[in-house]
C-alpha cells in the first residue's frame, strides 16, 4: 500500500488514501517518487477541461528512484534516479515517422489502462500515464528517462513538464533568435521556464505579463526586463515598450481566449504567437480575414514545447549545470499530498509559480 491522491470522479474532491500497486510486469518499472509538480493540466483533468478515465491518480511531472524493474527491462536498476515522461512516443505512428514525437497518436493510450486499485478493490487509471501524485508508481519503461548527472532529484521533477514545455515553446516552436523581443503571458511554472528560456536564447527585451502585481519579482528573477499587469491596454503597453512595433514573439501560457487574442495583438507585423496554455472548448478566439492578411502574423499551438524528452533532457541539464537555468526558482511552494487542493486554488487565483509535492 502507498499513499496517493485519487480523483474519484470528474469535478470531485481529491481523496488522499492508500492504494495497492502491483509489482512491475514485463517492460515496467516501479518508481519511488521524490517530488511531483502540480501543473495546471492536473487542474484541467480534475475539472473535466481535459478528459481521462476515472477514478485516476493524477500527476504527470515527477522524478524519483527506481525500486524494481520487470522482465525485459534493461539499462535501469534499483536505486537509479529517473525523470517521468508522461507522453512517451510510440515511434511508429504518422507523427512519429515525421519526427514530431510530441504529437504521437498513442502518447496517452496508457491512461486507459488499470494500473492499481484502491484498498476497496476499485480499479484506478494512471492519469496522464505516470500517476505522480503518489508515493510510488508503476509505469512502462518508455515513461522513464535517466536522471542527468548533477541535477538534484527533487528539482528534476520540473524537467518532466514545466521546463520542457516552456523551454521548448521558446527554442523549438518560436525559435527565438538573439536580439529578438519576447512577451510571455502567464507567470506560472511554464511561464517562468519560458522567461528563462528567452533569456538563454539572447532575447533583448523580455516582457512578462500577468494579472498579479505580486509576481513581478519572480518574473524579473527569471529574466524579464519589463513587467506588465494585465489589463485592457496590455497590447498597447507592450507596443509602447518596443518602439510602437510590438514584440517579435508572444508566448501564451494561460489558455484563455482574451489572453490569446491579446498576445497576438502584442506582436509586430509578421510576428509569431505561440499558444501553450490549455483552454476549454468554450474559449473561442475570433479574427477577421482582413487583419489576418494585413498583419501577416503567425499563430501556432504548441504541445509539450514541441519537445523530444530523450533529446532535450540532456540539453536542459547542461543549462542547469552551467547556471543558465535555475530549476529551484520556479518553485514557490513545497507541499505534501494534502496540499494539492490548496495548490489548485492558488492556480485559479493566479498565485505563485510552481507548487512541488515533496515526498
Amino acid at each position: 500500500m502507498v499513499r496517493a491522491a485519487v480523483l474519484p470522479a470528474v469535478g470531485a474532491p481529491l481523496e488522499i488514501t492508500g492504494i495497492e500497486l502491483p509489482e512491475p510486469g514485463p517492460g515496467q518499472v516501479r518508481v519511488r517518487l521524490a517530488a511531483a509538480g502540480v501543473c495546471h493540466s492536473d487542474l484541467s483533468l480534475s475539472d473535466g477541461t481535459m478528459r481521462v478515465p476515472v477514478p485516476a491518480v493524477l500527476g504527470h511531472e515527477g522524478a524519483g528512484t527506481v525500486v524494481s524493474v520487470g522482465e525485459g527491462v534493461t539499462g535501469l536498476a534499483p536505486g537509479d534516479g529517473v525523470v517521468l515522461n508522461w507522453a512517451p512516443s510510440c515511434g511508429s505512428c504518422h507523427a512519429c515517422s515525421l519526427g514530431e514525437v510530441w504529437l504521437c497518436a498513442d502518447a496517452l493510450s496508457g491512461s486507459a489502462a488499470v494500473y492499481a486499485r484502491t484498498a476497496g478493490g476499485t480499479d484506478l487509471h494512471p492519469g496522464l500515464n505516470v500517476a505522480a501524485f503518489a508515493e510510488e508508481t508503476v509505469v512502462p519503461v518508455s515513461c522513464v528517462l535517466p536522471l542527468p548527472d548533477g541535477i538534484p532529484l527533487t528539482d528534476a521533477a520540473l524537467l518532466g513538464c514545466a521546463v520542457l514545455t516552456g523551454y521548448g515553446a521558446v527554442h523549438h516552436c518560436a525559435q527565438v533568435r538573439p536580439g529578438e523581443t519576447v512577451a510571455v503571458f502567464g507567470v506560472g511554472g511554464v511561464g517562468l521556464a519560458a522567461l528563462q528560456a528567452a533569456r538563454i536564447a539572447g532575447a533583448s527585451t523580455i516582457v512578462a505579463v500577468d494579472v498579479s502585481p505580486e509576481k513581478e519579482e519572480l518574473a524579473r528573477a527569471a529574466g524579464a526586463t519589463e513587467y506588465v499587469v494585465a489589463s485592457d491596454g496590455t497590447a498597447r503597453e507592450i507596443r509602447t515598450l518596443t518602439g510602437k512595433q510590438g514584440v517579435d514573439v508572444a508566448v501564451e501560457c494561460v489558455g484563455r481566449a482574451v489572453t490569446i487574442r491579446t498576445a497576438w495583438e502584442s506582436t509586430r507585423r509578421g510576428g509569431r504567437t505561440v499558444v501553450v496554455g490549455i483552454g476549454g472548448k468554450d474559449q473561442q478566439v475570433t479574427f477577421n480575414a482582413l487583419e489576418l492578411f494585413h498583419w501577416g502574423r503567425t499563430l501556432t499551438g504548441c504541445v509539450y514545447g514541441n519537445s523530444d524528452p530523450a533529446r532535450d533532457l540532456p540539453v536542459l541539464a547542461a543549462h542547469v549545470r552551467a547556471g543558465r537555468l535555475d530549476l529551484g526558482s520556479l518553485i514557490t511552494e513545497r507541499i505534501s499530498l494534502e496540499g494539492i487542493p490548496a495548490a489548485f486554488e492558488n492556480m485559479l487565483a493566479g498565485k505563485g509559480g510552481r507548487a512541488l509535492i515533496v515526498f
Side-chain angles (χ1 to χ4, degrees), residues 26-281:
Q28 292 185 324
V29 180
R30 183 166 180 148
V31 177
R32 179 178 298 114
L33 273 295
V38 182
C39 179
H40 204 281
S41 296
D42 298 308
L43 178 59
S44 296
L45 291 167
S46 70
D47 67 16
T49 300
M50 296 169 61
R51 291 284 183 175
V52 292
V54 289
V57 175
L58 303 182
H60 60 282
E61 180 183 84
T65 304
V66 174
V67 175
S68 56
V69 301
E71 181 183 348
V73 174
T74 59
L76 288 172
D80 288 349
V82 292
V83 177
L84 297 181
N85 174 19
W86 63 270
S89 56
C90 69
S92 59
C93 71
H94 182 63
C96 287
S97 73
L98 297 174
E100 298 173 351
V101 297
W102 53 91
L103 299 179
C104 175
D106 297 317
L108 298 182
S109 60
S111 296
V114 171
Y115 94 112
R117 288 179 172 81
T118 67
T122 301
D123 290 344
L124 291 172
H125 301 282
L128 291 180
N129 286 324
V130 297
F133 286 174
E135 293 171 328
E136 295 186 11
T137 188
V138 174
V139 298
V141 68
S142 59
C143 287
V144 295
L145 296 165
L147 177 71
D149 293 338
I151 308 301
L153 183 59
T154 300
D155 292 354
L158 302 181
L159 294 173
C161 183
V163 179
L164 275 171
T165 301
Y167 181 91
V170 169
H171 285 264
H172 301 323
C173 197
Q175 298 183 359
V176 173
R177 299 180 289 269
E180 288 195 308
T181 54
V182 176
V184 176
F185 289 74
V187 184
V190 173
L192 288 168
L195 288 169
Q196 291 201 45
R199 173 176 45 75
I200 291 169
S204 56
T205 298
I206 305 173
V207 184
V209 183
D210 199 275
V211 296
S212 171
E214 289 76 22
K215 290 189 179 182
E216 181 171 0
E217 185 177 350
L218 271 175
R220 289 190 180 275
T225 61
E226 310 288 344
Y227 192 81
V228 173
V229 178
S231 69
D232 292 342
T234 293
R236 182 171 59 252
E237 190 171 351
I238 290 175
R239 287 195 296 271
T240 299
L241 291 170
T242 53
K244 298 184 179 180
Q245 295 299 310
V247 291
D248 296 299
V249 172
V251 181
E252 199 275 354
C253 303
V254 180
R256 295 182 63 236
V258 65
T259 316
I260 295 169
R261 176 75 204 198
T262 302
W264 187 80
E265 291 177 355
S266 299
T267 62
R268 64 169 175 83
R269 196 174 186 189
R272 291 109 67 199
T273 298
V274 175
V275 179
V276 178
I278 301 173
K281 293 180 180 179

